[in-house]
Amino acid sequence: MNFTVAQIAKMIDHSILRPEFTVEDVRSGCAVAAKYDVASVCVRPCDVPTAVSLLRDTNVRVGTVIGFPHGDSATQIKVTETELAVDQGATEIDMVLNIGWLRSGDINAVENEILSVVKAAGEAHVKVILETAYLTDEQKLAACWAAERAGAAFVKTSTGFAPTGATVDDLALMRSAVSAAVQVKASGGIRTLDTMLAMAAVGVTRFGTSATAEILEDLARRQVNVPGGRA
């Protein structure tokens, strides 16, 4: 599978989510996103206005997280978070589903909550974070099916705050569970170009990572010796 640097960049959501990040860290992260023209930044809810302002004259979308990282906020809180984020200019919404409800087998409650967030998001893309580290394969499948029925644009593996993150096996399972109308996002432990390429090979189209510069510079170096500028 061959990609240019620009193509890989447009598969990246540059992650700026660590709790200790300062305002200057957020500004620096947005500068990286703008430099490489990635798909989006994914920032903390409090940072949405800053990111929107910094990226207004770029092609980089601004996304944020909802119910992050545990997924256990009340549904109305998730809805309100979503409405505020969209009002402030976010166009991508990464929500953590209610992991406890899913593990309890209450799929209707999980689906209804996702639907509420999708409605609140309007035209913004909703990505449903499963937090696969805590789920059986059957629960992962049920979550993917619920997310698609509720109108989500993506299903996503992880927050990056659980014991483990994305795996190729989980991503292949998620890709098999949803139709072509739903994309798959890998997040959690995406640090290298080779990891991205292996995951793209099973159908992943978006990646959450903070290693954007390292990944894209690695690809640029490899392309120097590849005829046609692809690797």
Side-chain angles (χ1 to χ4, degrees), residues 172-193:
L173 180 70
M174 292 164 64
R175 180 65 273 167
S176 72
V178 293
S179 74
V182 179
Q183 298 183 62
V184 177
K185 176 176 173 179
S187 185
I190 315 298
R191 306 294 306 171
T192 69
L193 175 62

Side-chain angles (χ1 to χ4, degrees), residues 77-151:
I77 299 301
K78 290 181 179 178
V79 167
T80 300
E81 278 190 298
T82 301
E83 291 171 341
L84 177 60
V86 171
D87 286 346
Q88 292 177 331
T91 57
E92 304 215 346
I93 300 295
D94 290 36
M95 70 161 290
V96 187
L97 57 67
N98 191 302
I99 302 161
W101 289 352
L102 178 60
R103 285 167 53 95
S104 299
D106 196 346
I107 305 303
N108 286 338
V110 172
E111 181 176 338
N112 288 336
E113 182 174 83
I114 296 169
L115 179 60
S116 295
V117 171
V118 169
K119 288 180 177 178
E123 295 183 1
H125 296 156
V126 173
K127 305 173 195 146
V128 178
I129 304 173
L130 278 57
E131 202 66 291
T132 49
Y134 301 124
L135 307 178
T136 66
D137 284 354
E138 290 74 16
Q139 289 163 348
K140 295 165 196 171
L141 289 170
C144 288
W145 297 332
E148 178 158 15
R149 289 193 301 266

Side-chain angles (χ1 to χ4, degrees), residues 14 16 19-20 24 32 74 76 91 104 117 122 129 151-152 156 158 171 180 187-189 217 224:
H14 184 61
I16 316 172
E20 72 273 21
E24 185 54 40
V32 169
Q76 186 55 51
T91 57
S104 299
V117 171
I129 304 173
K156 174 180 170 181
S158 317
L171 290 160
S187 185
E217 293 296 337
V224 169

Side-chain angles (χ1 to χ4, degrees), residues 54-67:
L54 291 171
L55 296 169
R56 180 168 286 115
D57 296 325
T58 74
N59 293 318
V60 179
R61 298 164 68 97
V62 173
T64 193
V65 287
I66 302 298

